[in-house]
Amino acid sequence: MAGVLLWVVCPKGNATAMLSLIPRSGNKPKKRSFNGVSAVSSAVANPARSSEERVYDVVLKQAALVKEQRGRKALDLEKRDEKTDGVSAWDVLNEAYDRCGEVCAEYAKTFYLGTLLMTPERRRAVWAIYVWCRRTDELVDGPNASHITPRALDRWEKRLDDLFEGRPYDMLDAALSDTVSKYPVDIQPFKDMIEGMRLDLVKSRYINFDELYLYCYYVAGTVGLMSVPVMGIAPESKSSVESVYNAALDLGIANQLTNILRDVGEDARRGRVYLPQDELARFGLSDDDIFRGQVTDRWRNFMKDQIKRARMFFDEAEKGVSELNSASRWPVWASLLLYRQILDAIEENDYNNFSKRAYVGKVKKFASLPVAYGRALMGTSKLI
């Protein structure tokens, strides 16, 4: 995500109005268990297990929340139409959501168009999640990234805790705080995304794919776990909730692997190599080859292997998109198809991702939209 980080702080009166809308609790969240799965993130515990096993525990926990049938009650906005300085809290919250929509429209145009097919409630909630993820990413990848410290990320995580407890700091926080009060969204994927930002501050090499998989989960796979509770699973779906969440996770992993393969040259210029070191060595390559930026047969063979794996994750993700609520499928299909084409573009560039940036042109983008829409109209599959 590129662009300017938005720190939109509400006027004092508006902040008071928003606080009246968000459920508040004086108690800290309690540690909970669902079918033996601890509420403490397994993605950061028990390092003896593989990354996929540890992340799957987070998937199980989020799926359990959905099975509880909306553990949090929706806000009763009609009863909470309190006014501050002549402005109703409902108006302020509407303004917060509208601002999230504007940010989404500016920085994720294709995805934004797809969200317009969703119900207004789901659409606004997805915008709120998108904006929070964008702001989080901008902390370490935006114009002020050089000034970001671990302590700053700690403060950002404290803000996250507060907004989940109904104490938003600013307008954009208020939109997300309202969203998580209405949908069975767990805080752990949000915390795990912040953990991914912490990794970016201290880690620039990944020994093997197991390490890289965990990083991809932190910075992208988490988005799927945040979004599915809002997008909803089709009532007619015969698939297990866990399998749908797994597919959402796979889409995030696939997207991030694609980002990494597209941005090899750009990352190298920043001293970063997001490619498994052991796999580079297996193809007779090292960091020096990446910094040199020459496309050789060894590099082509290595890239073919990496692209094959990314496509495998896209294939797994496709199995779950059709299980989403019908109104939510189009933006997900559009994102999936467009990202898959970035891999095609890398191949068309003869695997030169050192000095050529692979991108999907406008003609191909627009051509993908009706295809995505057609797939969105298809019924559910038999994902188990």
Side-chain angles (χ1 to χ4, degrees):
M1 301 176 184
V4 180
L5 178 61
L6 298 165
W7 296 106
V8 184
V9 181
C10 295
K12 183 177 180 182
N14 285 358
T16 303
M18 282 187 295
L19 288 174
S20 71
L21 275 172
I22 311 300
R24 303 183 68 173
S25 170
N27 300 322
K28 293 183 179 180
K30 295 180 180 179
K31 179 178 176 181
R32 303 165 65 191
S33 292
F34 303 97
N35 299 324
V37 179
S38 173
V40 176
S41 174
S42 295
V44 293
N46 195 357
R49 305 170 68 204
S50 73
S51 292
E52 289 193 56
E53 289 173 327
R54 290 148 63 191
V55 170
Y56 187 57
D57 281 355
V58 183
V59 171
L60 290 177
K61 183 195 170 191
Q62 178 63 81
L65 282 175
V66 173
K67 288 179 178 179
E68 285 188 335
Q69 293 299 312
R70 306 297 187 268
R72 301 182 183 94
K73 294 181 180 179
L75 292 175
D76 188 349
L77 294 174
E78 293 182 0
K79 294 181 180 179
R80 292 177 176 266
D81 196 23
E82 301 173 19
K83 292 189 176 182
T84 303
D85 297 332
V87 179
S88 73
W90 171 247
D91 289 337
V92 174
L93 195 53
N94 269 335
E95 183 182 352
Y97 276 118
D98 288 345
R99 181 60 187 136
C100 288
E102 291 170 4
V103 175
C104 188
E106 182 175 358
Y107 295 105
K109 294 180 177 62
T110 302
F111 181 76
Y112 173 79
L113 289 175
T115 64
L116 298 182
L117 291 180
M118 297 180 178
T119 63
E121 188 95 341
R122 294 182 192 275
R123 176 194 315 154
R124 286 150 51 105
V126 168
W127 292 344
I129 292 172
Y130 169 83
V131 168
W132 185 88
C133 292
R134 180 176 180 79
R135 297 173 86 189
T136 301
D137 181 78
E138 287 289 292
L139 290 173
V140 298
D141 202 28
N144 298 316
S146 60
H147 304 294
I148 295 299
T149 64
R151 183 171 295 181
L153 291 176
D154 291 342
R155 289 195 296 268
W156 186 247
E157 186 168 359
K158 176 61 170 62
R159 281 181 58 163
L160 175 69
D161 290 330
D162 286 344
L163 74 83
F164 261 80
E165 286 294 305
R167 298 186 296 273
Y169 178 77
D170 63 19
M171 180 179 287
L172 301 182
D173 280 356
L176 183 59
S177 190
D178 180 56
T179 290
V180 301
S181 76
K182 294 178 177 179
Y183 295 94
V185 180
D186 185 58
I187 195 173
Q188 195 60 55
F190 294 84
K191 285 181 171 286
D192 286 344
M193 176 172 278
I194 296 173
E195 190 64 28
M197 303 305 112
R198 290 191 178 100
L199 278 180
D200 270 335
L201 293 182
V202 299
K203 192 174 177 68
S204 60
R205 300 291 187 279
Y206 291 83
I207 296 173
N208 51 38
F209 183 70
D210 189 66
E211 281 194 1
L212 185 62
Y213 177 90
L214 187 59
Y215 172 75
C216 289
Y217 158 70
Y218 281 149
V219 300
T222 49
V223 179
L225 303 189
M226 298 172 192
S227 303
V228 171
V230 172
M231 292 186 169
I233 298 175
E236 66 273 20
S237 174
K238 303 299 183 184
S239 303
S240 68
V241 174
E242 291 84 359
S243 64
V244 177
Y245 274 94
N246 240 6
L249 171 64
D250 286 335
L251 180 56
I253 300 294
N255 285 345
Q256 186 59 26
L257 289 176
T258 300
N259 283 337
I260 288 170
L261 298 179
R262 179 194 62 194
D263 298 339
V264 168
E266 180 182 328
D267 289 332
R269 287 187 284 277
R270 298 164 58 195
R272 297 180 174 277
V273 178
Y274 290 101
L275 300 167
Q277 295 288 309
D278 62 340
E279 294 179 17
L280 282 168
R282 192 164 71 242
F283 283 85
L285 298 165
S286 67
D287 289 355
D288 289 339
D289 294 294
I290 293 174
F291 295 140
R292 198 175 296 120
Q294 294 181 350
V295 180
T296 62
D297 287 341
R298 287 180 178 179
W299 179 252
R300 292 186 183 93
N301 290 332
F302 171 77
M303 283 301 302
K304 289 176 183 178
D305 198 57
Q306 299 298 306
I307 289 174
K308 179 180 179 180
R309 177 162 53 205
R311 284 179 173 145
M312 179 195 75
F313 278 100
F314 278 122
D315 290 342
E316 291 300 310
E318 286 191 12
K319 298 176 183 178
V321 181
S322 296
E323 308 305 318
L324 295 175
N325 183 284
S326 58
S328 301
R329 293 174 197 155
W330 189 32
V332 182
W333 270 119
S335 172
L336 189 154
L337 294 177
L338 289 173
Y339 255 79
R340 285 198 77 139
Q341 290 182 75
I342 294 175
L343 298 176
D344 299 336
I346 294 173
E347 293 173 331
E348 292 166 4
N349 287 342
D350 192 29
Y351 305 100
N352 181 4
N353 43 7
F354 298 118
S355 58
K356 290 184 178 180
R357 183 177 175 84
Y359 69 95
V360 181
K362 289 184 178 179
V363 173
K364 287 186 176 180
K365 279 186 178 180
F366 284 119
S368 297
L369 294 180
V371 176
Y373 185 69
R375 293 198 183 188
L377 294 178
M378 296 172 63
T380 60
S381 67
K382 301 225 178 201
L383 182 63
I384 298 175

mmCIF file with all atom_site columns, all heavy atoms in Angstrom, residues 88-101:
data_model
loop_
_atom_site.group_PDB
_atom_site.id
_atom_site.type_symbol
_atom_site.label_atom_id
_atom_site.label_alt_id
_atom_site.label_comp_id
_atom_site.label_asym_id
_atom_site.label_entity_id
_atom_site.label_seq_id
_atom_site.pdbx_PDB_ins_code
_atom_site.Cartn_x
_atom_site.Cartn_y
_atom_site.Cartn_z
_atom_site.occupancy
_atom_site.B_iso_or_equiv
_atom_site.pdbx_formal_charge
_atom_site.auth_seq_id
_atom_site.auth_comp_id
_atom_site.auth_asym_id
_atom_site.auth_atom_id
_atom_site.pdbx_PDB_model_num
ATOM 1   N N   . SER A 1 88  ? -25.603 14.997 15.556 1.00 0.00 ? 88  SER A N   1
ATOM 2   C CA  . SER A 1 88  ? -25.923 13.698 16.124 1.00 0.00 ? 88  SER A CA  1
ATOM 3   C C   . SER A 1 88  ? -24.743 12.745 15.989 1.00 0.00 ? 88  SER A C   1
ATOM 4   O O   . SER A 1 88  ? -23.931 12.854 15.062 1.00 0.00 ? 88  SER A O   1
ATOM 5   C CB  . SER A 1 88  ? -27.147 13.094 15.429 1.00 0.00 ? 88  SER A CB  1
ATOM 6   O OG  . SER A 1 88  ? -26.817 12.652 14.138 1.00 0.00 ? 88  SER A OG  1
ATOM 7   N N   . ALA A 1 89  ? -24.651 11.817 16.924 1.00 0.00 ? 89  ALA A N   1
ATOM 8   C CA  . ALA A 1 89  ? -23.585 10.818 16.873 1.00 0.00 ? 89  ALA A CA  1
ATOM 9   C C   . ALA A 1 89  ? -23.692 9.994  15.603 1.00 0.00 ? 89  ALA A C   1
ATOM 10  O O   . ALA A 1 89  ? -22.687 9.579  15.027 1.00 0.00 ? 89  ALA A O   1
ATOM 11  C CB  . ALA A 1 89  ? -23.670 9.923  18.108 1.00 0.00 ? 89  ALA A CB  1
ATOM 12  N N   . TRP A 1 90  ? -24.926 9.751  15.185 1.00 0.00 ? 90  TRP A N   1
ATOM 13  C CA  . TRP A 1 90  ? -25.132 8.991  13.949 1.00 0.00 ? 90  TRP A CA  1
ATOM 14  C C   . TRP A 1 90  ? -24.520 9.727  12.764 1.00 0.00 ? 90  TRP A C   1
ATOM 15  O O   . TRP A 1 90  ? -23.878 9.115  11.897 1.00 0.00 ? 90  TRP A O   1
ATOM 16  C CB  . TRP A 1 90  ? -26.631 8.790  13.743 1.00 0.00 ? 90  TRP A CB  1
ATOM 17  C CG  . TRP A 1 90  ? -27.038 8.222  12.422 1.00 0.00 ? 90  TRP A CG  1
ATOM 18  C CD1 . TRP A 1 90  ? -27.740 8.830  11.445 1.00 0.00 ? 90  TRP A CD1 1
ATOM 19  C CD2 . TRP A 1 90  ? -26.747 6.904  11.926 1.00 0.00 ? 90  TRP A CD2 1
ATOM 20  N NE1 . TRP A 1 90  ? -27.925 7.996  10.368 1.00 0.00 ? 90  TRP A NE1 1
ATOM 21  C CE2 . TRP A 1 90  ? -27.313 6.802  10.641 1.00 0.00 ? 90  TRP A CE2 1
ATOM 22  C CE3 . TRP A 1 90  ? -26.052 5.817  12.445 1.00 0.00 ? 90  TRP A CE3 1
ATOM 23  C CZ2 . TRP A 1 90  ? -27.215 5.654  9.870  1.00 0.00 ? 90  TRP A CZ2 1
ATOM 24  C CZ3 . TRP A 1 90  ? -25.958 4.663  11.670 1.00 0.00 ? 90  TRP A CZ3 1
ATOM 25  C CH2 . TRP A 1 90  ? -26.536 4.588  10.407 1.00 0.00 ? 90  TRP A CH2 1
ATOM 26  N N   . ASP A 1 91  ? -24.665 11.052 12.696 1.00 0.00 ? 91  ASP A N   1
ATOM 27  C CA  . ASP A 1 91  ? -24.086 11.839 11.612 1.00 0.00 ? 91  ASP A CA  1
ATOM 28  C C   . ASP A 1 91  ? -22.561 11.747 11.620 1.00 0.00 ? 91  ASP A C   1
ATOM 29  O O   . ASP A 1 91  ? -21.921 11.637 10.569 1.00 0.00 ? 91  ASP A O   1
ATOM 30  C CB  . ASP A 1 91  ? -24.504 13.310 11.739 1.00 0.00 ? 91  ASP A CB  1
ATOM 31  C CG  . ASP A 1 91  ? -25.976 13.532 11.420 1.00 0.00 ? 91  ASP A CG  1
ATOM 32  O OD1 . ASP A 1 91  ? -26.553 12.689 10.697 1.00 0.00 ? 91  ASP A OD1 1
ATOM 33  O OD2 . ASP A 1 91  ? -26.537 14.536 11.896 1.00 0.00 ? 91  ASP A OD2 1
ATOM 34  N N   . VAL A 1 92  ? -21.990 11.798 12.805 1.00 0.00 ? 92  VAL A N   1
ATOM 35  C CA  . VAL A 1 92  ? -20.533 11.739 12.931 1.00 0.00 ? 92  VAL A CA  1
ATOM 36  C C   . VAL A 1 92  ? -20.018 10.378 12.467 1.00 0.00 ? 92  VAL A C   1
ATOM 37  O O   . VAL A 1 92  ? -19.016 10.279 11.742 1.00 0.00 ? 92  VAL A O   1
ATOM 38  C CB  . VAL A 1 92  ? -20.099 12.008 14.381 1.00 0.00 ? 92  VAL A CB  1
ATOM 39  C CG1 . VAL A 1 92  ? -18.596 11.810 14.527 1.00 0.00 ? 92  VAL A CG1 1
ATOM 40  C CG2 . VAL A 1 92  ? -20.488 13.418 14.786 1.00 0.00 ? 92  VAL A CG2 1
ATOM 41  N N   . LEU A 1 93  ? -20.710 9.327  12.872 1.00 0.00 ? 93  LEU A N   1
ATOM 42  C CA  . LEU A 1 93  ? -20.283 7.987  12.466 1.00 0.00 ? 93  LEU A CA  1
ATOM 43  C C   . LEU A 1 93  ? -20.443 7.814  10.964 1.00 0.00 ? 93  LEU A C   1
ATOM 44  O O   . LEU A 1 93  ? -19.596 7.201  10.307 1.00 0.00 ? 93  LEU A O   1
ATOM 45  C CB  . LEU A 1 93  ? -21.091 6.937  13.221 1.00 0.00 ? 93  LEU A CB  1
ATOM 46  C CG  . LEU A 1 93  ? -20.546 5.498  13.205 1.00 0.00 ? 93  LEU A CG  1
ATOM 47  C CD1 . LEU A 1 93  ? -19.091 5.465  13.663 1.00 0.00 ? 93  LEU A CD1 1
ATOM 48  C CD2 . LEU A 1 93  ? -21.398 4.610  14.098 1.00 0.00 ? 93  LEU A CD2 1
ATOM 49  N N   . ASN A 1 94  ? -21.512 8.354  10.390 1.00 0.00 ? 94  ASN A N   1
ATOM 50  C CA  . ASN A 1 94  ? -21.684 8.324  8.942  1.00 0.00 ? 94  ASN A CA  1
ATOM 51  C C   . ASN A 1 94  ? -20.523 9.022  8.242  1.00 0.00 ? 94  ASN A C   1
ATOM 52  O O   . ASN A 1 94  ? -20.004 8.546  7.225  1.00 0.00 ? 94  ASN A O   1
ATOM 53  C CB  . ASN A 1 94  ? -22.998 8.996  8.543  1.00 0.00 ? 94  ASN A CB  1
ATOM 54  C CG  . ASN A 1 94  ? -24.147 8.014  8.461  1.00 0.00 ? 94  ASN A CG  1
ATOM 55  O OD1 . ASN A 1 94  ? -23.940 6.825  8.249  1.00 0.00 ? 94  ASN A OD1 1
ATOM 56  N ND2 . ASN A 1 94  ? -25.356 8.508  8.637  1.00 0.00 ? 94  ASN A ND2 1
ATOM 57  N N   . GLU A 1 95  ? -20.121 10.161 8.801  1.00 0.00 ? 95  GLU A N   1
ATOM 58  C CA  . GLU A 1 95  ? -19.003 10.905 8.229  1.00 0.00 ? 95  GLU A CA  1
ATOM 59  C C   . GLU A 1 95  ? -17.715 10.083 8.291  1.00 0.00 ? 95  GLU A C   1
ATOM 60  O O   . GLU A 1 95  ? -16.904 10.094 7.359  1.00 0.00 ? 95  GLU A O   1
ATOM 61  C CB  . GLU A 1 95  ? -18.818 12.227 8.976  1.00 0.00 ? 95  GLU A CB  1
ATOM 62  C CG  . GLU A 1 95  ? -17.725 13.114 8.401  1.00 0.00 ? 95  GLU A CG  1
ATOM 63  C CD  . GLU A 1 95  ? -17.526 14.398 9.195  1.00 0.00 ? 95  GLU A CD  1
ATOM 64  O OE1 . GLU A 1 95  ? -18.351 14.662 10.093 1.00 0.00 ? 95  GLU A OE1 1
ATOM 65  O OE2 . GLU A 1 95  ? -16.538 15.107 8.922  1.00 0.00 ? 95  GLU A OE2 1
ATOM 66  N N   . ALA A 1 96  ? -17.525 9.351  9.390  1.00 0.00 ? 96  ALA A N   1
ATOM 67  C CA  . ALA A 1 96  ? -16.335 8.518  9.538  1.00 0.00 ? 96  ALA A CA  1
ATOM 68  C C   . ALA A 1 96  ? -16.306 7.429  8.464  1.00 0.00 ? 96  ALA A C   1
ATOM 69  O O   . ALA A 1 96  ? -15.273 7.202  7.820  1.00 0.00 ? 96  ALA A O   1
ATOM 70  C CB  . ALA A 1 96  ? -16.322 7.882  10.934 1.00 0.00 ? 96  ALA A CB  1
ATOM 71  N N   . TYR A 1 97  ? -17.432 6.773  8.266  1.00 0.00 ? 97  TYR A N   1
ATOM 72  C CA  . TYR A 1 97  ? -17.498 5.737  7.235  1.00 0.00 ? 97  TYR A CA  1
ATOM 73  C C   . TYR A 1 97  ? -17.316 6.325  5.831  1.00 0.00 ? 97  TYR A C   1
ATOM 74  O O   . TYR A 1 97  ? -16.638 5.733  4.977  1.00 0.00 ? 97  TYR A O   1
ATOM 75  C CB  . TYR A 1 97  ? -18.830 4.992  7.308  1.00 0.00 ? 97  TYR A CB  1
ATOM 76  C CG  . TYR A 1 97  ? -18.861 3.869  8.322  1.00 0.00 ? 97  TYR A CG  1
ATOM 77  C CD1 . TYR A 1 97  ? -19.748 3.904  9.402  1.00 0.00 ? 97  TYR A CD1 1
ATOM 78  C CD2 . TYR A 1 97  ? -18.025 2.759  8.196  1.00 0.00 ? 97  TYR A CD2 1
ATOM 79  C CE1 . TYR A 1 97  ? -19.792 2.873  10.327 1.00 0.00 ? 97  TYR A CE1 1
ATOM 80  C CE2 . TYR A 1 97  ? -18.060 1.726  9.115  1.00 0.00 ? 97  TYR A CE2 1
ATOM 81  C CZ  . TYR A 1 97  ? -18.949 1.780  10.177 1.00 0.00 ? 97  TYR A CZ  1
ATOM 82  O OH  . TYR A 1 97  ? -18.995 0.750  11.091 1.00 0.00 ? 97  TYR A OH  1
ATOM 83  N N   . ASP A 1 98  ? -17.913 7.476  5.584  1.00 0.00 ? 98  ASP A N   1
ATOM 84  C CA  . ASP A 1 98  ? -17.762 8.111  4.271  1.00 0.00 ? 98  ASP A CA  1
ATOM 85  C C   . ASP A 1 98  ? -16.307 8.439  3.991  1.00 0.00 ? 98  ASP A C   1
ATOM 86  O O   . ASP A 1 98  ? -15.830 8.282  2.862  1.00 0.00 ? 98  ASP A O   1
ATOM 87  C CB  . ASP A 1 98  ? -18.604 9.396  4.204  1.00 0.00 ? 98  ASP A CB  1
ATOM 88  C CG  . ASP A 1 98  ? -20.096 9.113  4.123  1.00 0.00 ? 98  ASP A CG  1
ATOM 89  O OD1 . ASP A 1 98  ? -20.466 7.954  3.835  1.00 0.00 ? 98  ASP A OD1 1
ATOM 90  O OD2 . ASP A 1 98  ? -20.884 10.059 4.352  1.00 0.00 ? 98  ASP A OD2 1
ATOM 91  N N   . ARG A 1 99  ? -15.592 8.877  5.028  1.00 0.00 ? 99  ARG A N   1
ATOM 92  C CA  . ARG A 1 99  ? -14.165 9.187  4.849  1.00 0.00 ? 99  ARG A CA  1
ATOM 93  C C   . ARG A 1 99  ? -13.390 7.914  4.516  1.00 0.00 ? 99  ARG A C   1
ATOM 94  O O   . ARG A 1 99  ? -12.503 7.926  3.658  1.00 0.00 ? 99  ARG A O   1
ATOM 95  C CB  . ARG A 1 99  ? -13.610 9.838  6.123  1.00 0.00 ? 99  ARG A CB  1
ATOM 96  C CG  . ARG A 1 99  ? -12.139 10.222 6.005  1.00 0.00 ? 99  ARG A CG  1
ATOM 97  C CD  . ARG A 1 99  ? -11.903 11.210 4.873  1.00 0.00 ? 99  ARG A CD  1
ATOM 98  N NE  . ARG A 1 99  ? -10.488 11.449 4.655  1.00 0.00 ? 99  ARG A NE  1
ATOM 99  C CZ  . ARG A 1 99  ? -9.910  11.495 3.468  1.00 0.00 ? 99  ARG A CZ  1
ATOM 100 N NH1 . ARG A 1 99  ? -10.614 11.305 2.368  1.00 0.00 ? 99  ARG A NH1 1
ATOM 101 N NH2 . ARG A 1 99  ? -8.623  11.749 3.352  1.00 0.00 ? 99  ARG A NH2 1
ATOM 102 N N   . CYS A 1 100 ? -13.739 6.810  5.156  1.00 0.00 ? 100 CYS A N   1
ATOM 103 C CA  . CYS A 1 100 ? -13.093 5.528  4.839  1.00 0.00 ? 100 CYS A CA  1
ATOM 104 C C   . CYS A 1 100 ? -13.350 5.149  3.382  1.00 0.00 ? 100 CYS A C   1
ATOM 105 O O   . CYS A 1 100 ? -12.463 4.661  2.684  1.00 0.00 ? 100 CYS A O   1
ATOM 106 C CB  . CYS A 1 100 ? -13.615 4.430  5.764  1.00 0.00 ? 100 CYS A CB  1
ATOM 107 S SG  . CYS A 1 100 ? -13.045 4.553  7.469  1.00 0.00 ? 100 CYS A SG  1
ATOM 108 N N   . GLY A 1 101 ? -14.585 5.383  2.919  1.00 0.00 ? 101 GLY A N   1
ATOM 109 C CA  . GLY A 1 101 ? -14.907 5.093  1.530  1.00 0.00 ? 101 GLY A CA  1
ATOM 110 C C   . GLY A 1 101 ? -14.094 5.934  0.571  1.00 0.00 ? 101 GLY A C   1
ATOM 111 O O   . GLY A 1 101 ? -13.642 5.455  -0.478 1.00 0.00 ? 101 GLY A O   1
#
